[in-house]
Amino acid sequence: MKERKSKLLLLVLIVAASMLLSGCVLRMRADDLYRLPELSQDYLRLQGHINTIHNEGAEFSPPISGPNRQSVQLKDLNGDGINEVIAFFRIPSDSTLKIIVFEMVDGDYSVAEVINGAGTAIESIRYADMDGDGVMEIIVGWQLGDALKHMEIYSIIDFNAVRIQSAEYEYITVFDINSDSNSDIIIVRLPTIENAAVAQVFFMTADREINTSQVNLSAGIETISRIVTGSLINGFPAVFIESEGSFYNGSFVTDICTFRNGEFTNILLRESSGVSDSTIRQRRIHSADINGDGIVKVPIPRRLISQTETTYYVMDWFSFNNNGAARLALTTYHNPTDEWFLVLPLDWRDRVSVRREDAVAGERTVVFSYISDEDGAFYDFMSIHRLTGDMREARSRLPGRVWLASEGASIYVFELLETPDSIDLTIDEQIIRENFQLIFFDWLSGTL
């Protein structure tokens, strides 16, 4: 049974590879839907080579994390316009890990290079042209144990894999951090008894030398949550390293690392505290380019004046320049329970409160209220509803309700409520529709 599953997986992978490499568009007839796709002779030969490796005792062992997790991958490594095939195996008998590169030679695939490793798994694989010569370097992460990961950078010129750098790491990403149009490798290491958590960058010079630089991250980090790459206000590339730990007023922090004056720098780290104090927070929403202007922002929660004993927050999103100066970009109210958020108009700041009302079955409601400047009274001016259940369609069409979105078995609507003439907020149906968005939990990491 195990052998049959392995062959079936191999067939699927080969079919996918054949379709990707051919670049053809198939016109399907009805009879074609009941017929297996015909493989080219090239890929039947490739299947033969892989079967031979399996017969020698190897089994597929794809990378367990990172952006490339297929057992068989296609990549043009030498820049000639033809994809090589990279396959990942392990030998159970001796725990050997193998990355085998196949190249096309005279109409047949042959083994061009084998990268051998040891450990429990291939943690990740990345391909990056680090010096702009058109040839990819291969960055391999080897999993050596439950908590130990080892990175190796291989030069692959003429299909001769030469290890040119290695390092222990916890997290790894590829990004042009020094604006030279070449890919750089950035790793993060967790703190040890002797050393602080660090971010380290590796970049390759024109003569293929590896240079490296590292900076300390916030003291108190325990785990790395995510690395986000993007731009600062003034266009500088930056890496936003989001971590969890124990800090004096929160458990979540963002360190921002960039090249400034030719040096790799953590622009928010305060020397006095050893922490990026301005980004410490309790609520775990990750930094993001939330409004699509090309600049990554860091969300900082702000407590609202509440009408009830329940505490509600909005998120103030701050962008930074390469000197670490912050600027408020926008404010959002996030409702992770109902999976939506709203970008709040600027004139709502410090003048709005929210509360939940879930009295109707199949209807979850958030009410927005205006806080009077004169007497501090609350005036309800808008409600947003998530409708579920068999009556959701009918309830979405109740008088005054305006459709916002639908996702799966949920419908989202809002309605503007009767308000006193003295309320001078921006309350416009079009603005509400444009500022409402559903939450994608991969970006949010499922928590708030």
Side-chain angles (χ1 to χ4, degrees):
M1 175 65 77
K2 184 176 181 181
E3 183 179 357
R4 288 179 61 190
K5 288 184 177 179
S6 177
K7 288 184 177 180
L8 179 59
L9 173 61
L10 178 59
L11 176 61
V12 171
L13 291 167
I14 298 299
V15 169
S18 178
M19 294 177 68
L20 284 170
L21 284 184
S22 67
C24 63
V25 177
L26 302 179
R27 293 184 177 179
M28 301 296 291
R29 298 176 303 176
D31 292 344
D32 294 332
L33 297 175
Y34 301 95
R35 186 171 61 195
L36 287 173
E38 295 182 4
L39 299 178
S40 70
Q41 290 300 311
D42 295 339
Y43 286 94
L44 289 175
R45 283 190 283 267
L46 174 61
Q47 179 179 350
H49 293 306
I50 293 180
N51 282 341
T52 298
I53 297 171
H54 282 310
N55 292 336
E56 292 172 352
E59 60 184 30
F60 279 133
S61 182
I64 60 176
S65 65
N68 307 301
R69 304 191 192 188
Q70 304 85 355
S71 297
V72 178
Q73 300 177 20
L74 307 176
K75 194 72 178 179
D76 180 8
L77 297 176
N78 60 0
D80 65 355
I82 301 174
N83 281 327
E84 280 67 53
V85 175
I86 303 97
F88 303 85
F89 302 94
R90 66 184 296 270
I91 311 297
S93 59
D94 59 7
S95 299
T96 299
L97 299 167
K98 290 182 177 291
I99 302 171
I100 301 180
V101 179
F102 296 89
E103 65 171 327
M104 177 68 75
V105 178
D106 297 329
D108 192 7
Y109 280 100
S110 64
V111 174
E113 182 58 300
V114 178
I115 299 174
N116 292 305
T120 57
I122 300 169
E123 193 272 336
S124 62
I125 185 81
R126 290 169 173 84
Y127 313 96
D129 183 359
M130 296 181 65
D131 61 351
D133 65 353
V135 177
M136 294 288 178
E137 279 66 51
I138 297 180
I139 301 93
V140 183
W142 305 103
Q143 186 79 47
L144 303 183
D146 291 340
L148 184 59
K149 303 172 188 176
H150 185 75
M151 176 198 73
E152 293 184 335
I153 302 174
Y154 293 88
S155 168
I156 200 71
I157 289 180
D158 297 326
F159 296 113
N160 181 28
V162 177
R163 185 177 60 192
I164 56 178
Q165 189 70 46
S166 62
E168 308 302 325
Y169 73 97
E170 174 64 24
Y171 206 110
I172 184 170
T173 192
V174 176
F175 183 62
D176 179 12
I177 189 66
N178 61 350
S179 301
D180 65 354
S181 300
N182 298 327
S183 297
D184 307 310
I185 310 303
I186 300 158
I187 64 172
V188 176
R189 287 195 294 274
L190 290 174
T192 63
I193 296 175
E194 299 84 10
N195 301 305
V198 299
Q200 185 173 9
V201 60
F202 301 88
F203 54 94
M204 187 180 290
T205 64
D207 57 0
R208 302 189 61 74
E209 293 292 327
I210 293 287
N211 289 338
T212 184
S213 179
Q214 72 177 39
V215 293
N216 285 345
L217 301 177
S218 291
I221 287 175
E222 297 170 0
T223 60
I224 306 300
S225 178
R226 178 173 292 192
I227 292 181
V228 178
T229 57
S231 295
L232 301 173
I233 291 174
N234 43 4
F236 281 73
V239 178
F240 297 71
I241 300 168
E242 319 240 69
S243 309
E244 296 180 63
S246 299
F247 313 105
Y248 64 89
N249 63 346
S251 59
F252 199 68
V253 70
T254 300
D255 291 287
I256 303 178
C257 301
T258 187
F259 260 81
R260 185 177 65 194
N261 301 324
E263 295 185 357
F264 192 45
T265 304
N266 185 345
I267 62 174
L268 298 184
L269 193 70
R270 289 184 59 187
E271 186 175 348
S272 58
S273 66
V275 179
S276 294
D277 296 326
S278 61
T279 65
I280 294 176
R281 55 202 187 271
Q282 287 287 359
R283 300 200 154 210
R284 188 185 174 211
I285 293 183
H286 289 103
S287 301
D289 178 12
I290 190 169
N291 61 347
D293 66 356
I295 299 170
V296 176
K297 292 102 184 154
V298 179
I300 305 298
R302 176 167 52 87
R303 184 174 179 173
L304 293 175
I305 299 173
S306 181
Q307 308 170 56
T308 67
E309 294 181 357
T310 304
T311 302
Y312 297 94
Y313 293 85
V314 291
M315 291 290 166
D316 288 330
W317 294 77
F318 290 91
S319 50
F320 294 83
N321 65 20
N322 66 320
N323 292 316
R327 182 176 71 193
L328 178 64
L330 71 160
T331 299
T332 61
Y333 171 74
H334 276 72
N335 182 349
T337 303
D338 298 335
E339 303 176 8
W340 61 264
F341 72 92
L342 183 71
V343 178
L344 306 185
L346 291 177
D347 63 351
W348 290 21
R349 186 175 178 82
D350 299 323
R351 306 172 72 194
V352 167
S353 177
V354 301
R355 73 177 188 277
R356 289 207 66 99
E357 287 187 355
D358 298 332
V360 179
E363 188 168 310
R364 297 178 60 85
T365 300
V366 172
V367 179
F368 289 78
S369 304
Y370 169 79
I371 305 171
S372 172
D373 295 331
E374 296 179 358
D375 57 9
F378 295 89
Y379 297 95
D380 300 342
F381 66 89
M382 184 180 72
S383 57
I384 295 179
H385 311 271
R386 181 190 186 185
L387 309 175
T388 57
D390 295 339
M391 297 298 293
R392 62 185 181 275
E393 291 282 354
R395 296 196 64 80
S396 71
R397 293 190 292 268
L398 290 176
R401 294 191 168 182
V402 180
W403 184 91
L404 285 168
S406 61
E407 179 69 21
S410 298
I411 297 175
Y412 299 84
V413 297
F414 78 98
E415 56 185 312
L416 300 181
L417 308 175
E418 293 289 337
T419 58
D421 295 336
S422 60
I423 294 181
D424 58 348
L425 297 179
T426 299
I427 308 172
D428 179 270
E429 286 191 3
Q430 181 176 349
I431 290 176
I432 301 303
R433 286 196 297 267
E434 291 174 351
N435 287 4
F436 178 90
Q437 295 188 49
L438 298 180
I439 289 176
F440 294 96
F441 273 82
D442 176 60
W443 162 70
L444 193 64
S445 274
T447 56
L448 180 65

